């Protein structure tokens, strides 16, 4: 083959590559336009956003605050007469309010790491 024939083949491959790339770009752009239109249609079907008048308000008594209390584990009652305990015989909560409501604090001068015995009762 001559040099002129190679130039014609090379040019035709470049045109083919450019054409395929252009068509691929059109497909991707079309897919993006379709996705945006689909998203707009989905957003139009959603309920409207609440206005300022529809927003929730604080109760008249003010904000609700958290309650801190010391909890103790609730022991499972022992079964009597060698029979099994039924679910209705157990308490609904796994812990109960403790009698002593003073929080346990670290002893001064202790590191407070695990096993150091740094708690004081």
């Amino acid at each position: 083959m001559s040099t002129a024939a190679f130039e014609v083949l090379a040019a035709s491959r470049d045109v083919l590559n450019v054409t395929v790339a252009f068509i691929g770009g059109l497909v991707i752009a079309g897919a993006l336009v379709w996705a945006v239109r689909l998203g707009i249609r989905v957003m139009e079907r959603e309920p409207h956003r609440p206005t300022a008048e529809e927003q929730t308000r604080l109760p008249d008594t003010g904000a609700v605050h958290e309650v801190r209390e010391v909890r103790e584990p609730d022991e499972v009652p022992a079964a009597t007469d060698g029979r099994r305990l039924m679910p209705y015989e157990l308490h609904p909560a796994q812990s109960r309010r403790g009698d002593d409501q003073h929080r346990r604090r670290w002893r001064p001068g202790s590191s407070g790491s695990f096993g150091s015995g740094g708690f004081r009762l």
Side-chain angles (χ1 to χ4, degrees), residues 94-116:
Q94 296 178 358
S95 64
R96 58 183 167 80
R97 188 173 193 274
D99 296 331
D100 183 19
Q101 288 297 308
H102 295 288
R103 291 179 55 203
R104 294 169 35 169
R105 301 287 183 188
W106 295 110
R107 285 188 189 155
S110 69
S111 66
S113 64
F114 292 109
S116 69

Side-chain angles (χ1 to χ4, degrees), residues 49-105:
R49 294 185 178 133
T51 61
E53 294 79 28
E54 296 172 336
Q55 294 289 335
T56 57
R57 303 273 183 236
L58 277 176
D60 294 335
T61 57
V64 178
H65 299 287
E66 98 179 33
V67 176
R68 290 185 178 221
E69 63 182 9
V70 177
R71 306 285 296 176
E72 293 179 353
D74 195 10
E75 301 296 328
V76 176
T80 57
D81 302 331
R83 64 180 186 83
R84 288 182 12 194
L85 287 175
M86 294 289 123
Y88 58 84
E89 296 175 310
L90 299 174
H91 301 289
Q94 296 178 358
S95 64
R96 58 183 167 80
R97 188 173 193 274
D99 296 331
D100 183 19
Q101 288 297 308
H102 295 288
R103 291 179 55 203
R104 294 169 35 169
R105 301 287 183 188

